[in-house]
């Protein structure tokens, strides 16, 4: 029952978000600040996590294939496909839901409880569109780039760690990451990231926009937002994988 | 002039406003007074449409706000300015950007004209040398004044202030009250102010509505309030003993009036 209530309220909020904006120029400037604060500022953490995870996955694939039947270039291939298919899209999505999602909920939620949203409304500004639309555009635009960056750094991570511990030679690894490459996997994952980007911008925005109370409630809403975004990401991962692969 | 007719509002099962009908006059500071939790904020937000009323009418110079569509409402909102209890300045913007925001959104002014208007409004509320600071970097009293500057930047016809001097020291509170009163006279606008502060009532209470638990109990002005016979209003007014003395003094000076 509660789910349907939230779903209804969520879609009516989206309807307001996508209604005609007052002044386009105000939105444009806002999109760029959002791209910076939500997107560019996430590049660092994406790079660090991807390098480490790329390295770790390379090692794990190598340990699981110590049998000489398997050619060692499969290590590179394994790392590449894991990154493209699941890690850089879904797992990154889950991590970004934590970072970006909690940021969005707490920002919009604080504006709600300090009556800044009421201030916008009283001026005649569509607060839903003004606050949320630039975030959606920014996150959806930036996510495919973060995905590509994550794949890139993940591959680098494998290239550093694999040869360093002697699990695979650099030549075999580089050979492996080019072997049997399926471009459609990239398309599939980019579609996923666009979808996840939309969820990561809108679900936390929804939880922030309807928060009532004070700092405590904003904190609780942030947690709820991240948990619910994560669940929806996994649900959509399942649906899209079934549909697209 | 704003006319409120038979307004009811409840949240879930709880009736917060019960049959409120009153007039708020142009060129005057109209006060809504009452204890905390009596429904002042809900009434003010119902008047401006941030809360939908359950029934009743709210007429802005004859135009019924409750029956308007979204578009008409937006048009009417350009004529309103509101100062919220906490100031509600946008904390990602500087003082100057806050005041300029309504102009950026809704006016077709040139950059120079906007700057002139921003400077004029900030000057009007005596903010000097803080144009580039962020709301978190200025005092509570200054935040309230910037909020007033932002509320008047588009030359509103109606100004709403929710407890504009709560959380301020008595001296600053008095300055804010006088400022709002002067602006009301200067711009000849309809101003509605929520307050629970008797000092404000005695300072700027040109037209007063007293509500208690969502019901309107009394209307009048600051000259009449000390002589009230209304039990609930007496409790509210004389909670501060100082006003008993003021009343007794007044009665001693004009004994024939009693
Ligand atoms: N959004 C809301 N939902 C439910 N109850 C509310 C809401 N806003 C206010 N109330 C209730 O309405 C009553 C009046 O509140 P309010 O108008 O804020 O009082 P005050 O006179 O102090 O401004 C309070 O009992 C409060 O609990
Ligand atoms: Mg209040």
């Amino acid at each position: 029952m509660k789910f349907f209530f939230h779903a209804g309220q969520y879609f009516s909020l989206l309807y307001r978000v996508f209604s005609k904006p007052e002044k386009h120029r105000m939105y444009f400037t806002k999109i760029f600040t959002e791209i910076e604060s939500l997107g560019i500022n996430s590049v660092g953490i994406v790079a660090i996590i991807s390098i480490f995870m790329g390295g770790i996955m390379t090692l794990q694939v190598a340990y699981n294939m110590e049998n000489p039947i398997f050619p060692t270039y499969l290590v590179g291939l394994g790392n590449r496909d894991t990154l493209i298919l699941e890690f850089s899209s879904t797992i990154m999505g889950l991590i970004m839901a934590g970072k970006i999602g909690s940021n969005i909920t707490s920002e919009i939620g604080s504006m709600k409880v300090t009556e800044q949203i009421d201030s916008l409304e009283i001026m005649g500004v569509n607060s839903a569109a003004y606050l949320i639309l630039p975030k959606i555009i920014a996150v959806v635009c930036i996510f495919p780039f973060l995905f590509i960056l994550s794949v890139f750094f993940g591959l680098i991570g494998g290239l550093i760690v694999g040869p360093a511990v002697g699990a695979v030679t650099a030549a075999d690894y580089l050979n492996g990451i080019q072997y049997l490459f399926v471009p459609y996997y990239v398309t599939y994952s980019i579609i996923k990231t666009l979808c996840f980007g939309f969820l990561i911008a809108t679900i936390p925005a929804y939880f922030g926009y309807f928060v009532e109370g004070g700092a405590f409630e904003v904190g609780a809403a942030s947690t709820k937002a991240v948990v619910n975004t994560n669940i929806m990401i996994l649900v959509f991962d399942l649906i899209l994988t079934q549909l697209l692969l | 002039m704003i006319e409120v007719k038979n307004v009811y509002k409840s949240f879930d099962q709880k009736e917060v406003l019960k049959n409120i009908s009153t007039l708020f006059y142009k060129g005057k500071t109209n006060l809504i007074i009452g204890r905390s939790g009596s429904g002042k904020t809900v009434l003010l937000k119902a008047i401006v449409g941030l809360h939908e009323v359950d029934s009743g009418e709210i007429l802005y110079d004859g135009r019924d706000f409750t029956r308007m569509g979204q578009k008409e409402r937006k048009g009417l909102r350009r004529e309103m300015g509101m100062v919220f209890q906490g100031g509600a300045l946008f904390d990602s913007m500087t003082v100057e950007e806050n005041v300029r925001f309504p102009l950026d959104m809704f006016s077709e002014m040139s950059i120079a004209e906007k700057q002139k208007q921003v400077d004029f409004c900030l000057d009007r509320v005596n903010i000097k040398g803080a144009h580039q600071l962020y709301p978190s970097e200025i005092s509570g009293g200054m935040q309230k004044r910037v909020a007033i500057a932002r509320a008047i930047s588009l030359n509103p016809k109606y100004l709403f202030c929710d407890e504009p001097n709560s959380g301020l020291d008595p001296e600053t509170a008095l300055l804010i009250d006088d400022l709002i009163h002067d602006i009301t006279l200067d711009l000849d606008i309809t101003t509605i102010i929520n307050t629970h502060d008797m000092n404000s009532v005695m300072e700027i209470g040109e037209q007063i509505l007293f509500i208690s638990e969502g019901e309107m109990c009394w209307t009048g002005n600051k000259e009449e309030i000390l002589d009230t016979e209304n039990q609930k209003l007496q409790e509210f007014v004389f909670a501060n003993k100082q006003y008993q003395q003021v009343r007794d003094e007044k009665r001693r000076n004009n004994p024939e009036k009693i």
Side-chain angles (χ1 to χ4, degrees):
Chain A
M1 232 27 240
K2 228 171 156 191
F3 174 78
F4 290 109
F5 169 77
H6 283 297
Q9 213 175 17
Y10 172 76
F11 285 112
S12 74
L13 178 66
L14 284 190
Y15 176 76
R16 284 214 281 143
V17 167
F18 288 103
S19 46
K20 197 171 154 283
E22 285 81 25
K23 227 175 202 179
H24 291 89
R25 194 169 42 80
M26 294 292 282
Y27 283 69
F28 269 120
T29 31
K30 203 138 186 288
I31 289 170
F32 287 108
T33 39
E34 297 292 2
I35 285 182
E36 189 182 348
S37 80
L38 299 176
I40 311 289
N41 291 345
S42 301
V43 168
I45 184 152
V46 167
I48 291 169
I49 293 175
S50 300
I51 289 177
F52 274 89
M53 288 308 290
I56 291 161
M57 286 191 303
T58 303
L59 290 189
Q60 294 199 340
V61 175
Y63 290 140
N64 283 311
M65 300 205 302
E66 276 188 343
N67 193 321
I69 298 173
F70 300 118
T72 52
Y73 62 75
L74 283 182
V75 172
L77 183 148
N79 187 31
R80 180 199 70 203
D81 281 355
T82 317
L83 284 168
I84 293 181
L85 283 173
E86 218 40 45
F87 178 78
S88 296
S89 53
T90 311
I91 306 296
M92 261 309 150
L94 296 175
I95 293 168
M96 286 299 119
K99 181 180 183 286
I100 299 178
S102 62
N103 174 300
I104 291 177
T105 308
S106 48
E107 181 185 325
I108 294 182
S110 311
M111 292 188 73
K112 176 72 192 300
V113 300
T114 57
E115 299 181 312
Q116 291 178 51
I117 289 185
D118 283 342
S119 292
L120 286 169
E121 286 292 323
I122 202 75
M123 288 173 194
V125 177
N126 176 348
S127 62
Y130 178 72
L131 293 175
I132 303 176
L133 189 58
K135 290 193 196 295
I136 298 177
I137 294 174
V139 176
V140 170
C141 288
I142 202 85
F143 253 50
F145 292 100
L146 290 181
F147 162 75
I148 290 166
L149 223 62
S150 165
V151 172
F152 175 76
F153 281 110
L155 293 176
I156 301 269
L159 183 61
I160 298 168
V161 175
V165 301
V168 58
T169 65
D172 273 351
Y173 179 83
L174 288 173
N175 193 10
I177 64 175
Q178 295 167 61
Y179 186 67
L180 282 179
F181 174 63
V182 185
Y184 180 69
Y185 286 175
V186 176
T187 317
Y188 151 78
S189 271
I190 286 191
I191 293 172
K192 285 207 301 186
T193 58
L194 292 173
C195 169
F196 297 162
F198 187 80
L199 295 174
I200 287 173
T202 53
I203 295 175
Y206 166 76
F207 277 94
Y209 196 84
F210 287 104
V211 73
E212 299 261 357
F216 177 78
E217 282 80 5
V218 173
S222 287
T223 311
K224 262 197 260 172
V226 172
V227 171
N228 283 284
T229 310
N230 280 342
I231 292 170
M232 290 318 283
I233 286 177
L234 294 171
V235 169
F236 274 83
D237 190 24
L238 207 64
I239 295 171
L240 290 175
T241 304
Q242 180 63 29
L243 286 178
L244 298 174
L245 275 192
Chain B
M1 189 169 79
I2 299 173
E3 190 174 359
V4 174
K5 276 190 188 166
N6 309 105
V7 162
Y8 286 84
K9 171 74 192 170
S10 40
F11 292 105
D12 305 319
Q13 299 307 317
K14 191 165 175 271
E15 267 204 314
V16 178
L17 299 179
K18 298 161 206 162
N19 199 12
I20 306 278
S21 297
T22 189
L23 284 174
F24 299 105
Y25 298 94
K26 190 178 172 201
K28 277 192 183 176
T29 41
N30 301 273
L31 264 51
I32 301 172
I33 65 172
R35 286 168 205 270
S36 295
S38 55
K40 301 182 297 294
T41 302
V42 173
L43 177 56
L44 201 66
K45 287 192 175 177
I47 292 172
V48 301
L50 287 172
H51 288 317
E52 287 303 325
V53 298
D54 297 338
S55 65
E57 293 175 0
I58 292 153
L59 305 169
Y60 282 79
D61 293 307
R63 298 167 290 175
D64 188 354
F65 190 71
T66 52
R67 299 231 170 80
M68 286 182 181
Q70 277 307 320
K71 213 169 175 184
E72 279 177 280
R73 279 189 177 200
K74 271 194 174 177
L76 186 53
R77 287 213 166 128
R78 309 279 155 79
E79 301 175 15
M80 300 180 189
M82 185 153 178
V83 178
F84 288 87
Q85 189 159 359
L89 296 176
F90 303 125
D91 38 32
S92 60
M93 302 180 192
T94 63
V95 162
E96 193 174 277
E97 285 164 350
N98 262 285
V99 180
R100 190 165 49 226
F101 182 82
L103 302 174
D104 282 339
M105 264 294 178
F106 298 114
S107 79
E108 299 302 327
M109 294 179 183
S110 69
I111 292 179
E113 283 170 328
K114 281 186 208 164
Q115 191 60 43
K116 213 174 127 208
Q117 176 71 355
V118 169
D119 291 341
F120 170 79
C121 291
L122 284 172
D123 212 41
R124 187 70 195 74
V125 297
N126 291 321
I127 296 281
K128 293 191 181 72
H131 290 218
Q132 306 305 331
L133 297 180
Y134 284 89
S136 58
E137 297 170 324
I138 59 179
S139 69
M142 281 168 93
Q143 288 181 12
K144 290 281 169 62
R145 281 187 280 152
V146 175
I148 295 172
R150 184 177 69 180
I152 61 170
S153 66
L154 280 175
N155 298 317
K157 283 194 198 156
Y158 312 100
L159 181 63
F160 305 92
C161 307
D162 192 4
E163 311 230 1
N165 53 19
S166 71
L168 302 179
D169 59 277
E171 205 183 326
T172 314
L174 204 66
L175 281 176
I176 299 275
D177 284 339
D178 288 340
L179 181 61
I180 295 173
H181 184 244
D182 291 348
I183 286 173
T184 303
L185 287 185
D186 283 1
L187 304 179
D188 193 25
I189 56 181
T190 309
T191 300
I192 305 181
I193 303 161
N194 273 357
T195 184
H196 61 245
D197 178 6
M198 269 309 287
N199 288 333
S200 304
V201 173
M202 296 315 288
E203 183 76 13
I204 55 170
E206 297 178 317
Q207 175 67 31
I208 302 168
L209 166 69
F210 173 66
I211 58 175
S212 172
E213 285 159 28
E215 293 181 56
M216 44 183 296
C217 291
W218 185 86
T219 54
N221 61 37
K222 65 182 176 188
E223 277 78 38
E224 297 159 356
I225 197 166
L226 293 180
D227 299 320
T228 179
E229 299 297 325
N230 185 306
Q231 191 64 37
K232 282 180 180 158
L233 182 57
Q234 279 183 349
E235 280 169 27
F236 177 83
V237 174
F238 302 119
N240 187 340
K241 295 275 184 299
Q242 177 201 339
Y243 289 104
Q244 258 165 357
Q245 291 168 10
V246 176
R247 176 191 58 184
D248 296 342
E249 191 120 323
K250 200 173 141 199
R251 288 189 176 171
R252 237 176 282 130
N253 292 343
N254 333 281
E256 75 282 3
K257 258 191 130 180
I258 303 167

